[in-house]
Amino acid sequence: MPLQKLSDASRPAPNEASSTKVYRWIEFANKGEQITEFDESHFQLEGHFESNSSEGHKVFQDRLRAIHFRKEGRSKAEIAQLLGRSEQFVAKWWQKEEREIPRPWGVHEYMSKELGSKTATSGALLAADSATSTATWWRDVELRRRYACDPAIYEELLTNTEWKSSAARTRDFSTGASHVKYDKEGKMKLQGNQGPVQEDCNSLLQARAPVVQHTVVEQQEIVWKIAKDINYTLQIFSIVPTFGADGNYIALLHDFDPVLANYTDEYALYCSDASGLHKTQLRVYGKETGIRLSLILKCDWPEEQSELENFEVFLENDEGKVLGKVSVNHNKPSAKHQSVACVRDIFALQEASETLAYKHFVEWLEFHLYHGMDHFFVYTFGTVDDVYEEILKPYLLAGAATRIHFKTRPDFHRLRHYWSMTDCLYRSKNHATWVMPSVDQDEYFRVTGPSELFGDTSVPQNYFRTVWDAIVRHEGWR
C-alpha cells in the first residue's frame, strides 16, 4: 500500500490562495481500490525531532577530512574554510592519524587494506602505491570454508534430509521487539528459505570420516637408583613407538638436563618388555648439537610387534635391578603423508589477544591445506578452551589432523613448544617424507614465483608437496 505524491497533472486544482500539497493513500482491496486524500498538514508533528547519530557522523567525517587535506599539503586556514569549521577545530585533529579518531556509535570498520595492520603482528608494511580499492585488494583471495564437505555430500543432504521453513519474523518499529508475522487470515507466515530438521554437514561427515586420531599423553616418572647414595628421577614427558626404515624402537622423551646427560655417560640403563626377552641398553641422543632441547632415550624393540597398540617398557639399572615401568597406548597413523606440519598450542601473552589467536589459527590451517599440506599434528595442553575444541573438530573428523593432548601443561610456553617439536619429530618418523616441526600460527612459508626452484613454470598451488624436494635438487643436497 504505497504512499504516493500526486503529480501536477493528476493533482486536483487547489484554491488560488492555497499552496498545500495533497497526498493520496491508495489501498487495494478485494473489490477494487479505495482512495483517501489528505493534505500536507496531516504530517505536521509537534515537538523537536532529530537524528541521534547524524551530527556525530558529520563531525567524524570532518575530522578525517582534516587529516586528508593536511596530507595534501593544505594550510590550516584553507582546511577550515573547506570544512566550514573553525581553525581551532582543525588544529585539534589535523595532525592525528585516522585510527586515532574516536568512532561514534554506528560507524563500523570495513574490509580494506587496513585490516591487515589491525589483525597481524608481523610488522609487515604496505607500499605507498598499494591498491586502495577494497575490490582490488581482495580480488585474488579465494575464501574456502567447510572444505571437508565434498560436492557429493550436497546430494546426500538434499535427498536424505527433512527440510523445514522457519517462522517469518519482523521487528516493531517503535520498540524493536521481534514478532512473528501473520497473514490476513491469521496464519503464521513462513520464511522463503528452509533448513535441515536433524542432520547437518558435521553429522554426515562423522559417519563418513575415518577414526579420529586423538592421543592423550601423560608424564611418567621412574626413580633411577644409580649408586648407593645417588638417585635421579626420570620425568618422561612422552613415549613414542617408532617402527620403519628409520629404526624400530620406543622413544622415551625427557627434558634436557646436563646432570642426566652426565649420568648416562657414566652409567648404563637397560630396557625390556615384561618378559625381559629383548633386553637392550638405552641409546641416548640429544647431546650432540649446540641447541639442546631434549634427551631421547631409545629402547630398541622387535619389528614384529609394530602392530601392537599398547606397550610396557621396563627399565633396569646396570646391576639388573628393575626400576619400574612406563606404558603407552599407541595410535598408529593411518597413512603416510608427503608433508606434515607440527602445530604448537595456542597461547596469548595477553588475555585480550586470545580471541585473535584463534582467528589466526583457522586462517593458518586453511592456508596450509589450500597449498598442499597433507596433515597436521596438533598439540594441546592441560585444560582446553571449548572454542578451540570446536575449531579442531571438523579437521579431526575429516582426517586432516591428529591431536596429541598432554595432560600436563608447563607454565613456560617455550617448554611446551620444545615438547611439541620433539614429540612430533618422532611421531612423524616413517609416516611423513617432510616435516615442519617448528612454526607458529602467525608464520607462513610462502614461495613466490616464477622461481628458479620450478624452472620457468609458475609455483604450483600445492607447493608444500613439492617445494622441499625442489630445494634439495637446486642446492645439490641429499
Side-chain angles (χ1 to χ4, degrees):
M1 296 184 295
L3 180 64
Q4 298 180 340
K5 181 180 179 181
L6 300 182
S7 65
D8 292 337
S10 60
R11 182 184 302 123
N15 299 330
E16 293 183 1
S18 171
S19 60
T20 302
K21 297 176 182 177
V22 178
Y23 294 82
R24 174 178 294 173
W25 181 266
I26 304 176
E27 182 177 359
F28 296 94
N30 294 332
K31 297 181 181 181
E33 61 181 42
Q34 299 176 3
I35 302 175
T36 303
E37 294 185 354
F38 39 84
D39 60 28
E40 196 173 31
S41 63
H42 180 82
F43 295 99
Q44 293 179 359
L45 302 175
E46 295 182 358
H48 177 67
F49 298 89
E50 66 177 10
S51 169
N52 289 331
S53 59
S54 59
E55 179 60 26
H57 289 198
K58 178 66 168 59
V59 173
F60 175 67
Q61 293 296 330
D62 285 348
R63 292 170 181 172
L64 294 179
R65 292 173 67 198
I67 297 171
H68 173 73
F69 287 139
R70 184 259 301 172
K71 292 180 178 179
E72 287 187 348
R74 297 179 184 270
S75 67
K76 187 191 306 180
E78 287 178 312
I79 297 174
Q81 184 177 3
L82 288 169
L83 299 180
R85 299 277 185 178
S86 65
E87 291 192 20
Q88 289 82 356
F89 176 92
V90 176
K92 183 177 180 180
W93 302 106
W94 74 325
Q95 295 294 345
K96 295 182 179 293
E97 294 297 326
E98 286 86 347
R99 67 191 65 185
E100 298 180 70
I101 305 300
R103 292 177 178 269
W105 187 90
V107 175
H108 306 288
E109 300 267 13
Y110 295 94
M111 292 179 71
S112 68
K113 68 176 185 178
E114 291 298 321
L115 187 63
S117 63
K118 292 178 183 296
T119 58
T121 56
S122 62
L125 299 177
L126 292 164
D129 58 348
S130 296
T132 57
S133 164
T134 302
T136 302
W137 185 255
W138 292 91
R139 180 186 60 200
D140 297 326
V141 175
E142 181 179 358
L143 192 62
R144 291 195 172 192
R145 285 290 181 264
R146 306 182 72 77
Y147 68 94
C149 296
D150 56 78
I153 204 170
Y154 296 128
E155 183 67 23
E156 186 172 343
L157 278 169
L158 187 62
T159 57
N160 297 336
T161 303
E162 180 184 353
W163 295 87
K164 182 179 179 181
S165 295
S166 301
R169 306 185 71 88
T170 186
R171 290 193 177 273
D172 187 280
F173 181 77
S174 58
T175 66
S178 178
H179 298 289
V180 176
K181 285 185 177 181
Y182 295 90
D183 59 19
K184 291 181 180 180
E185 299 177 358
K187 296 180 181 179
M188 184 176 64
K189 290 185 176 182
L190 300 177
Q191 292 182 356
N193 60 314
Q194 295 181 331
V197 176
Q198 295 177 340
E199 293 181 322
D200 59 11
C201 181
N202 279 337
S203 64
L204 292 173
L205 273 176
Q206 194 165 8
R208 289 166 164 240
V211 177
V212 175
Q213 295 285 337
H214 188 171
T215 300
V216 178
V217 180
E218 188 170 4
Q219 191 172 24
Q220 302 179 57
E221 295 184 353
I222 289 183
V223 177
W224 181 11
K225 296 182 179 180
I226 301 173
K228 183 177 181 181
D229 298 325
I230 303 177
N231 292 332
Y232 185 91
T233 301
L234 295 166
Q235 295 182 328
I236 310 298
F237 67 78
S238 184
I239 303 170
V240 185
T242 301
F243 295 92
D246 288 328
N248 303 300
Y249 55 86
I250 298 178
L252 311 180
L253 311 182
H254 193 287
D255 291 334
F256 184 85
D257 183 355
V259 175
L260 176 59
N262 291 334
Y263 283 155
T264 56
D265 285 338
E266 298 181 35
Y267 305 94
L269 265 176
Y270 296 86
C271 65
S272 67
D273 64 0
S275 65
L277 294 179
H278 53 82
K279 180 178 177 180
T280 181
Q281 183 175 346
L282 283 175
R283 296 178 289 129
V284 183
Y285 292 82
K287 299 177 290 185
E288 299 79 9
T289 61
I291 302 176
R292 299 173 178 181
L293 306 181
S294 305
L295 280 174
I296 297 90
L297 312 176
K298 293 184 178 181
C299 177
D300 293 326
W301 211 263
E303 183 180 3
E304 56 268 21
Q305 295 188 15
S306 62
E307 298 301 322
L308 295 179
E309 293 184 356
N310 297 290
F311 296 89
E312 289 185 335
V313 182
F314 289 79
L315 298 185
E316 300 180 13
N317 61 15
D318 53 4
E319 297 177 351
K321 179 177 177 59
V322 176
L323 305 174
K325 71 171 183 178
V326 292
S327 58
V328 60
N329 180 275
H330 179 54
N331 291 328
K332 185 178 179 181
S334 57
K336 183 169 182 177
H337 306 287
Q338 176 67 9
S339 293
V340 165
C342 308
V343 186
R344 64 175 303 180
D345 62 316
I346 288 182
F347 75 98
L349 297 178
Q350 297 179 354
E351 188 175 347
S353 60
E354 187 172 7
T355 301
L356 185 59
Y358 288 142
K359 294 177 181 178
H360 278 311
F361 181 48
V362 176
E363 180 181 341
W364 190 91
L365 288 172
E366 293 293 334
F367 175 89
H368 284 76
L369 280 172
Y370 183 72
H371 289 295
M373 189 61 66
D374 294 305
H375 200 77
F376 304 101
F377 285 110
V378 182
Y379 286 82
T380 57
F381 294 82
T383 303
V384 180
D385 194 295
D386 290 342
V387 175
Y388 196 25
E389 297 276 5
E390 289 300 316
I391 290 174
L392 283 178
K393 185 184 297 183
Y395 299 94
L396 296 174
L397 290 175
T402 297
R403 179 182 176 187
I404 299 92
H405 178 69
F406 285 85
K407 287 188 174 181
T408 303
R409 186 183 188 277
D411 292 332
F412 188 38
H413 66 87
R414 290 191 184 276
L415 183 57
R416 301 197 299 273
H417 199 179
Y418 298 160
W419 284 14
S420 301
M421 285 191 291
T422 308
D423 181 278
C424 191
L425 281 170
Y426 284 92
R427 203 171 294 274
S428 301
K429 281 185 180 293
N430 306 301
H431 302 294
T433 303
W434 293 99
V435 182
M436 286 176 27
S438 174
V439 62
D440 288 348
Q441 285 88 352
D442 59 352
E443 298 172 351
Y444 291 79
F445 189 96
R446 180 169 173 263
V447 181
T448 58
S451 169
E452 56 187 359
L453 293 176
F454 298 98
D456 295 331
T457 61
S458 60
V459 177
Q461 173 193 310
N462 59 346
Y463 59 79
F464 279 119
R465 293 181 184 155
T466 56
V467 68
W468 318 116
D469 292 305
I471 292 173
V472 167
R473 289 193 302 269
H474 181 268
E475 299 295 332
W477 297 335
R478 291 186 298 172

